[in-house]
mmCIF file with all atom_site columns, all heavy atoms in Angstrom:
data_model
loop_
_atom_site.group_PDB
_atom_site.id
_atom_site.type_symbol
_atom_site.label_atom_id
_atom_site.label_alt_id
_atom_site.label_comp_id
_atom_site.label_asym_id
_atom_site.label_entity_id
_atom_site.label_seq_id
_atom_site.pdbx_PDB_ins_code
_atom_site.Cartn_x
_atom_site.Cartn_y
_atom_site.Cartn_z
_atom_site.occupancy
_atom_site.B_iso_or_equiv
_atom_site.pdbx_formal_charge
_atom_site.auth_seq_id
_atom_site.auth_comp_id
_atom_site.auth_asym_id
_atom_site.auth_atom_id
_atom_site.pdbx_PDB_model_num
ATOM 1   N N   . ALA A 1 2   ? 88.665  131.457 110.250 1.00 91.00 ? 2   ALA A N   1
ATOM 2   C CA  . ALA A 1 2   ? 89.884  130.709 110.573 1.00 91.00 ? 2   ALA A CA  1
ATOM 3   C C   . ALA A 1 2   ? 90.595  130.328 109.285 1.00 91.00 ? 2   ALA A C   1
ATOM 4   O O   . ALA A 1 2   ? 89.980  130.229 108.221 1.00 91.00 ? 2   ALA A O   1
ATOM 5   C CB  . ALA A 1 2   ? 89.556  129.464 111.392 1.00 91.00 ? 2   ALA A CB  1
ATOM 6   N N   . PHE A 1 31  ? 96.460  134.359 114.407 1.00 91.00 ? 31  PHE A N   1
ATOM 7   C CA  . PHE A 1 31  ? 97.244  133.502 113.528 1.00 91.00 ? 31  PHE A CA  1
ATOM 8   C C   . PHE A 1 31  ? 97.829  132.284 114.228 1.00 91.00 ? 31  PHE A C   1
ATOM 9   O O   . PHE A 1 31  ? 98.410  131.421 113.566 1.00 91.00 ? 31  PHE A O   1
ATOM 10  C CB  . PHE A 1 31  ? 98.382  134.317 112.888 1.00 91.00 ? 31  PHE A CB  1
ATOM 11  C CG  . PHE A 1 31  ? 97.890  135.419 111.996 1.00 91.00 ? 31  PHE A CG  1
ATOM 12  C CD1 . PHE A 1 31  ? 97.818  136.717 112.468 1.00 91.00 ? 31  PHE A CD1 1
ATOM 13  C CD2 . PHE A 1 31  ? 97.475  135.153 110.696 1.00 91.00 ? 31  PHE A CD2 1
ATOM 14  C CE1 . PHE A 1 31  ? 97.357  137.736 111.650 1.00 91.00 ? 31  PHE A CE1 1
ATOM 15  C CE2 . PHE A 1 31  ? 97.016  136.170 109.882 1.00 91.00 ? 31  PHE A CE2 1
ATOM 16  C CZ  . PHE A 1 31  ? 96.949  137.465 110.350 1.00 91.00 ? 31  PHE A CZ  1
ATOM 17  N N   . TRP A 1 47  ? 84.319  111.976 106.271 1.00 89.00 ? 47  TRP A N   1
ATOM 18  C CA  . TRP A 1 47  ? 85.561  112.142 107.031 1.00 89.00 ? 47  TRP A CA  1
ATOM 19  C C   . TRP A 1 47  ? 85.287  112.008 108.522 1.00 89.00 ? 47  TRP A C   1
ATOM 20  O O   . TRP A 1 47  ? 84.195  112.333 108.987 1.00 89.00 ? 47  TRP A O   1
ATOM 21  C CB  . TRP A 1 47  ? 86.179  113.512 106.734 1.00 89.00 ? 47  TRP A CB  1
ATOM 22  C CG  . TRP A 1 47  ? 86.683  113.612 105.335 1.00 89.00 ? 47  TRP A CG  1
ATOM 23  C CD1 . TRP A 1 47  ? 85.964  113.925 104.221 1.00 89.00 ? 47  TRP A CD1 1
ATOM 24  C CD2 . TRP A 1 47  ? 88.015  113.359 104.903 1.00 89.00 ? 47  TRP A CD2 1
ATOM 25  N NE1 . TRP A 1 47  ? 86.774  113.891 103.115 1.00 89.00 ? 47  TRP A NE1 1
ATOM 26  C CE2 . TRP A 1 47  ? 88.039  113.545 103.495 1.00 89.00 ? 47  TRP A CE2 1
ATOM 27  C CE3 . TRP A 1 47  ? 89.199  112.998 105.555 1.00 89.00 ? 47  TRP A CE3 1
ATOM 28  C CZ2 . TRP A 1 47  ? 89.191  113.384 102.738 1.00 89.00 ? 47  TRP A CZ2 1
ATOM 29  C CZ3 . TRP A 1 47  ? 90.349  112.841 104.802 1.00 89.00 ? 47  TRP A CZ3 1
ATOM 30  C CH2 . TRP A 1 47  ? 90.341  113.024 103.419 1.00 89.00 ? 47  TRP A CH2 1
ATOM 31  N N   . ARG A 1 52  ? 92.399  117.522 117.163 1.00 92.00 ? 52  ARG A N   1
ATOM 32  C CA  . ARG A 1 52  ? 93.561  118.381 117.408 1.00 92.00 ? 52  ARG A CA  1
ATOM 33  C C   . ARG A 1 52  ? 94.718  117.530 117.921 1.00 92.00 ? 52  ARG A C   1
ATOM 34  O O   . ARG A 1 52  ? 94.565  116.780 118.886 1.00 92.00 ? 52  ARG A O   1
ATOM 35  C CB  . ARG A 1 52  ? 93.196  119.464 118.423 1.00 92.00 ? 52  ARG A CB  1
ATOM 36  C CG  . ARG A 1 52  ? 94.327  120.415 118.735 1.00 92.00 ? 52  ARG A CG  1
ATOM 37  C CD  . ARG A 1 52  ? 93.835  121.567 119.588 1.00 92.00 ? 52  ARG A CD  1
ATOM 38  N NE  . ARG A 1 52  ? 94.939  122.300 120.173 1.00 92.00 ? 52  ARG A NE  1
ATOM 39  C CZ  . ARG A 1 52  ? 94.836  123.487 120.742 1.00 92.00 ? 52  ARG A CZ  1
ATOM 40  N NH1 . ARG A 1 52  ? 93.659  124.078 120.811 1.00 92.00 ? 52  ARG A NH1 1
ATOM 41  N NH2 . ARG A 1 52  ? 95.888  124.076 121.257 1.00 92.00 ? 52  ARG A NH2 1
ATOM 42  N N   . ASP A 1 79  ? 98.797  100.635 107.009 1.00 84.00 ? 79  ASP A N   1
ATOM 43  C CA  . ASP A 1 79  ? 97.475  100.177 107.433 1.00 84.00 ? 79  ASP A CA  1
ATOM 44  C C   . ASP A 1 79  ? 97.245  100.281 108.938 1.00 84.00 ? 79  ASP A C   1
ATOM 45  O O   . ASP A 1 79  ? 96.144  100.018 109.415 1.00 84.00 ? 79  ASP A O   1
ATOM 46  C CB  . ASP A 1 79  ? 97.232  98.741  106.963 1.00 84.00 ? 79  ASP A CB  1
ATOM 47  C CG  . ASP A 1 79  ? 96.898  98.695  105.483 1.00 84.00 ? 79  ASP A CG  1
ATOM 48  O OD1 . ASP A 1 79  ? 96.502  99.743  104.939 1.00 84.00 ? 79  ASP A OD1 1
ATOM 49  O OD2 . ASP A 1 79  ? 97.037  97.621  104.864 1.00 84.00 ? 79  ASP A OD2 1
ATOM 50  N N   . ASN A 1 91  ? 109.706 126.291 120.300 1.00 83.00 ? 91  ASN A N   1
ATOM 51  C CA  . ASN A 1 91  ? 110.925 126.689 121.010 1.00 83.00 ? 91  ASN A CA  1
ATOM 52  C C   . ASN A 1 91  ? 111.374 128.102 120.679 1.00 83.00 ? 91  ASN A C   1
ATOM 53  O O   . ASN A 1 91  ? 112.519 128.474 120.930 1.00 83.00 ? 91  ASN A O   1
ATOM 54  C CB  . ASN A 1 91  ? 112.060 125.705 120.702 1.00 83.00 ? 91  ASN A CB  1
ATOM 55  C CG  . ASN A 1 91  ? 111.774 124.325 121.234 1.00 83.00 ? 91  ASN A CG  1
ATOM 56  O OD1 . ASN A 1 91  ? 111.169 124.181 122.302 1.00 83.00 ? 91  ASN A OD1 1
ATOM 57  N ND2 . ASN A 1 91  ? 112.208 123.302 120.514 1.00 83.00 ? 91  ASN A ND2 1
ATOM 58  N N   . GLY A 1 106 ? 87.141  101.383 111.157 1.00 45.00 ? 106 GLY A N   1
ATOM 59  C CA  . GLY A 1 106 ? 86.254  100.246 110.952 1.00 45.00 ? 106 GLY A CA  1
ATOM 60  C C   . GLY A 1 106 ? 86.856  99.206  110.035 1.00 45.00 ? 106 GLY A C   1
ATOM 61  O O   . GLY A 1 106 ? 86.651  98.014  110.205 1.00 45.00 ? 106 GLY A O   1
ATOM 62  N N   . TYR A 1 134 ? 98.997  82.095  101.448 1.00 90.00 ? 134 TYR A N   1
ATOM 63  C CA  . TYR A 1 134 ? 97.693  82.550  101.909 1.00 90.00 ? 134 TYR A CA  1
ATOM 64  C C   . TYR A 1 134 ? 96.670  81.427  101.798 1.00 90.00 ? 134 TYR A C   1
ATOM 65  O O   . TYR A 1 134 ? 96.864  80.460  101.043 1.00 90.00 ? 134 TYR A O   1
ATOM 66  C CB  . TYR A 1 134 ? 97.232  83.786  101.133 1.00 90.00 ? 134 TYR A CB  1
ATOM 67  C CG  . TYR A 1 134 ? 97.131  83.611  99.631  1.00 90.00 ? 134 TYR A CG  1
ATOM 68  C CD1 . TYR A 1 134 ? 95.905  83.349  99.021  1.00 90.00 ? 134 TYR A CD1 1
ATOM 69  C CD2 . TYR A 1 134 ? 98.258  83.715  98.824  1.00 90.00 ? 134 TYR A CD2 1
ATOM 70  C CE1 . TYR A 1 134 ? 95.800  83.203  97.648  1.00 90.00 ? 134 TYR A CE1 1
ATOM 71  C CE2 . TYR A 1 134 ? 98.168  83.571  97.455  1.00 90.00 ? 134 TYR A CE2 1
ATOM 72  C CZ  . TYR A 1 134 ? 96.934  83.315  96.864  1.00 90.00 ? 134 TYR A CZ  1
ATOM 73  O OH  . TYR A 1 134 ? 96.842  83.163  95.510  1.00 90.00 ? 134 TYR A OH  1
ATOM 74  N N   . VAL A 1 146 ? 100.985 94.317  95.637  1.00 92.00 ? 146 VAL A N   1
ATOM 75  C CA  . VAL A 1 146 ? 102.091 94.817  96.445  1.00 92.00 ? 146 VAL A CA  1
ATOM 76  C C   . VAL A 1 146 ? 102.179 96.330  96.273  1.00 92.00 ? 146 VAL A C   1
ATOM 77  O O   . VAL A 1 146 ? 102.046 96.847  95.155  1.00 92.00 ? 146 VAL A O   1
ATOM 78  C CB  . VAL A 1 146 ? 103.427 94.160  96.046  1.00 92.00 ? 146 VAL A CB  1
ATOM 79  C CG1 . VAL A 1 146 ? 104.554 94.655  96.946  1.00 92.00 ? 146 VAL A CG1 1
ATOM 80  C CG2 . VAL A 1 146 ? 103.318 92.635  96.117  1.00 92.00 ? 146 VAL A CG2 1
ATOM 81  N N   . VAL A 1 161 ? 89.772  84.010  90.105  1.00 89.00 ? 161 VAL A N   1
ATOM 82  C CA  . VAL A 1 161 ? 88.902  83.257  91.009  1.00 89.00 ? 161 VAL A CA  1
ATOM 83  C C   . VAL A 1 161 ? 89.677  82.084  91.596  1.00 89.00 ? 161 VAL A C   1
ATOM 84  O O   . VAL A 1 161 ? 90.394  81.379  90.880  1.00 89.00 ? 161 VAL A O   1
ATOM 85  C CB  . VAL A 1 161 ? 87.650  82.760  90.266  1.00 89.00 ? 161 VAL A CB  1
ATOM 86  C CG1 . VAL A 1 161 ? 86.806  81.875  91.178  1.00 89.00 ? 161 VAL A CG1 1
ATOM 87  C CG2 . VAL A 1 161 ? 86.827  83.940  89.761  1.00 89.00 ? 161 VAL A CG2 1
ATOM 88  N N   . LYS A 1 169 ? 102.597 82.366  96.292  1.00 93.00 ? 169 LYS A N   1
ATOM 89  C CA  . LYS A 1 169 ? 102.999 83.134  95.119  1.00 93.00 ? 169 LYS A CA  1
ATOM 90  C C   . LYS A 1 169 ? 104.336 83.801  95.402  1.00 93.00 ? 169 LYS A C   1
ATOM 91  O O   . LYS A 1 169 ? 104.591 84.264  96.519  1.00 93.00 ? 169 LYS A O   1
ATOM 92  C CB  . LYS A 1 169 ? 101.943 84.198  94.803  1.00 93.00 ? 169 LYS A CB  1
ATOM 93  C CG  . LYS A 1 169 ? 102.055 84.798  93.429  1.00 93.00 ? 169 LYS A CG  1
ATOM 94  C CD  . LYS A 1 169 ? 101.647 83.820  92.361  1.00 93.00 ? 169 LYS A CD  1
ATOM 95  C CE  . LYS A 1 169 ? 101.712 84.477  90.982  1.00 93.00 ? 169 LYS A CE  1
ATOM 96  N NZ  . LYS A 1 169 ? 101.339 83.531  89.913  1.00 93.00 ? 169 LYS A NZ  1
ATOM 97  N N   . LEU A 1 185 ? 96.032  91.104  100.414 1.00 89.00 ? 185 LEU A N   1
ATOM 98  C CA  . LEU A 1 185 ? 95.170  90.058  99.872  1.00 89.00 ? 185 LEU A CA  1
ATOM 99  C C   . LEU A 1 185 ? 93.716  90.468  100.046 1.00 89.00 ? 185 LEU A C   1
ATOM 100 O O   . LEU A 1 185 ? 93.294  90.823  101.142 1.00 89.00 ? 185 LEU A O   1
ATOM 101 C CB  . LEU A 1 185 ? 95.426  88.740  100.611 1.00 89.00 ? 185 LEU A CB  1
ATOM 102 C CG  . LEU A 1 185 ? 94.513  87.565  100.249 1.00 89.00 ? 185 LEU A CG  1
ATOM 103 C CD1 . LEU A 1 185 ? 94.852  87.042  98.860  1.00 89.00 ? 185 LEU A CD1 1
ATOM 104 C CD2 . LEU A 1 185 ? 94.645  86.453  101.281 1.00 89.00 ? 185 LEU A CD2 1
#
Side-chain angles (χ1 to χ4, degrees):
F31 296 99
W47 292 84
R52 181 172 166 166
D79 283 341
N91 295 325
Y134 58 99
V146 182
V161 175
K169 196 71 177 179
L185 175 72

